Amino acid sequence: MMENIEQRLILRINEHATPLRIMHVCGTHERTISKYAIRDIIPEEVQLLSGPGCPVCVTPVEDIDFAISLARSGKVITSFGDMMRVPGTTGSLFDARADGYDIRMVYSIDDAIKIAKDKPTLEVVFFGIGFETTAPSNAAALLRGVPENFSILTSHKLMPPAMELLTKDTNVDGFLAPGHVSTIIGTHPYDPISEKGFPIVVTGFEVLDVLLGITMVQDQIESGRSCVENAYPRCVNVEGNLKAREMLYQVFKENDSNWRGIGMIENSGLALKKEFEQFDAVNVHADIYDKIPHEKRPSDIHNDENGLYEGCICAEILTARAEPSQCPLFGRRCSPENPVGPCMVSLEGTCYNWYKYTRNKGI
Ligand code: SF4
């Protein structure tokens, strides 16, 4: 009987199977892997690890607390939907909205700008989160011009510095690099990581893409190579999207950034440049920002004053030191309906996907 391409790739992965730890750093990869049970159809020794690829999961508590403090002081907070459900120190943005504060869900920065234009007497803050994929649209909006009563709480993250850190902190053998992010940054930024001995394959989001990415990492390991390869050429090229990056760096500069559950990573975030500081919520509302306690250590995630995170092991989940089923709260006290930690909130969260597609594992 004729085998299809997926079956041939699975056979090939089996034939070449050696103990291997391949990390992806993209919530959409986790979704494909969990939804189609890819871990169950490849040999056990080929482990697929889930890294910090979910934007709302890595947004630090201090930024959520700042957004809530802004709302409590009368500002209008605008945010993507899944960010609104992530717990901060005293609850989520949704909880604050239930308390009567003006917090609105938007689908893009343009929705937030429209609110500011329509209501010039209000101070509107857009909670800007996400990786290299979402930051360019925020940069484009600022370059087009925004009203004076509008500002951005910038919480963007850059993926290559986090991958670099993970090569030091975890015993990962290679990476499936994120297809979405790579459409913007291209394949070059991964070169320094592969040059240190870590095979990297830029991978798309279909089952076939993921299986192909795995075989390409296996090939590199087997032949003693480590380079950056592109298994997603229909969307990603070497240079990436030059126009998007040009806009990005017209508006933003790289800065050290705090990743929830991981801690500070050098040059892994984006801050607004001086020319745009009048739209920087941290600058505009410095009096409120300065009162926010800043999360400094990964262990802080367990030490919330009101016990919100007691028992949550998101810090270990985000760095692939543990799997969701090892969390004592998984599927019990913590579920998508009642998330205790950030990894259970978003469609891109590892705990969310394990709960939705593999929830019987370990509980
Ligand atoms: S299951 Fe919930 S409490 Fe446990 S690590 Fe995941 S998000 Fe945190």
Side-chain angles (χ1 to χ4, degrees):
M1 192 173 65
M2 184 74 127
E3 292 148 348
N4 63 29
I5 299 176
E6 280 93 344
Q7 287 168 327
R8 280 158 50 196
L9 285 170
I10 293 165
L11 271 177
R12 197 178 185 294
I13 292 168
N14 272 278
E15 283 164 13
H16 294 257
T18 53
L20 199 54
R21 289 167 56 88
I22 303 174
M23 178 181 275
H24 73 73
V25 284
C26 176
T28 314
H29 278 153
E30 183 54 42
R31 192 164 171 75
T32 302
I33 290 165
S34 292
K35 184 171 182 180
Y36 297 102
I38 292 179
R39 291 187 179 93
D40 294 340
I41 57 175
I42 62 173
E44 259 180 34
E45 60 260 51
V46 180
Q47 292 181 57
L48 295 180
L49 311 176
S50 183
C54 155
V56 305
C57 302
V58 297
T59 299
V61 168
E62 71 213 39
D63 287 358
I64 300 168
D65 290 350
F66 180 37
I68 291 172
S69 293
L70 287 168
R72 286 177 179 157
S73 67
K75 323 298 179 224
V76 179
I77 301 300
T78 56
S79 165
F80 297 134
D82 46 5
M83 192 66 239
M84 294 182 69
R85 301 181 60 232
V86 181
T89 303
T90 58
S92 66
L93 286 166
F94 257 140
D95 295 330
R97 190 166 80 167
D99 290 340
Y101 298 110
D102 195 344
I103 297 171
R104 308 185 193 187
M105 191 174 85
V106 292
Y107 293 100
S108 73
I109 189 171
D110 293 327
D111 293 346
I113 293 168
K114 184 171 183 319
I115 294 168
K117 281 182 177 165
D118 290 348
K119 301 276 183 193
T121 55
L122 298 178
E123 288 187 84
V124 177
V125 181
F126 175 66
F127 199 166
I129 62 151
F131 299 114
E132 291 91 335
T133 335
T134 46
S137 57
N138 294 348
L142 284 178
L143 289 170
R144 284 196 301 271
V146 295
E148 281 179 4
N149 60 327
F150 177 85
S151 61
I152 302 186
L153 195 181
T154 305
S155 197
H156 291 297
K157 308 281 184 234
L158 302 174
M159 189 48 78
M163 290 168 68
E164 178 111 35
L165 180 87
L166 289 162
T167 62
K168 295 172 196 153
D169 277 13
T170 58
N171 54 348
V172 60
D173 297 308
F175 288 97
L176 302 181
H180 298 141
V181 164
S182 306
T183 59
I184 304 296
I185 68 173
T187 61
H188 274 320
Y190 306 117
D191 288 341
I193 305 169
S194 71
E195 283 160 13
K196 289 181 182 156
F198 296 91
I200 296 180
V201 178
V202 176
T203 304
F205 303 103
E206 303 295 332
V207 172
L208 191 59
D209 293 319
V210 174
L211 294 173
L212 180 62
I214 296 167
T215 60
M216 289 170 73
V217 172
Q218 280 182 311
D219 281 351
Q220 288 196 41
I221 297 273
E222 209 171 275
S223 59
R225 291 178 298 129
S226 63
C227 58
V228 182
E229 292 180 313
N230 185 4
Y232 196 33
R234 62 189 187 277
C235 292
V236 174
N237 59 36
V238 175
E239 298 297 337
N241 185 329
L242 294 173
K243 181 70 188 164
R245 279 214 311 285
E246 190 188 310
M247 284 191 303
L248 184 71
Y249 285 104
Q250 266 180 278
V251 171
F252 293 105
K253 61 181 181 191
E254 292 176 7
N255 69 345
D256 298 347
S257 188
N258 191 13
W259 293 52
R260 190 173 194 170
I262 296 177
M264 294 299 285
I265 306 179
E266 207 177 325
N267 291 328
S268 69
L270 292 171
L272 286 168
K273 285 183 164 174
K274 196 160 179 49
E275 305 91 281
F276 295 92
E277 66 184 11
Q278 72 270 34
F279 303 113
D280 185 345
V282 169
N283 189 50
V284 176
H285 305 294
D287 52 329
I288 299 168
Y289 182 74
D290 289 342
K291 292 184 190 139
I292 305 298
H294 290 223
E295 185 188 34
K296 290 288 181 209
R297 292 162 292 123
S299 58
D300 283 355
I301 203 166
H302 299 299
N303 292 338
D304 189 78
E305 277 177 283
N306 64 7
L308 196 59
Y309 306 115
E310 202 181 330
C312 172
I313 60 165
C314 272
E316 284 78 18
I317 303 287
L318 289 166
T319 48
R321 290 186 173 84
E323 294 180 338
S325 54
Q326 291 171 267
C327 174
L329 307 183
F330 178 70
R332 296 183 176 93
R333 192 152 76 82
C334 183
S335 66
E337 293 73 35
N338 294 298
V340 175
C343 305
M344 189 57 96
V345 172
S346 159
L347 298 182
E348 297 188 274
T350 302
C351 295
Y352 175 94
N353 281 297
W354 278 58
Y355 181 88
K356 189 159 172 57
Y357 299 112
T358 60
R359 72 170 133 177
N360 292 326
K361 264 189 188 169
I363 58 172

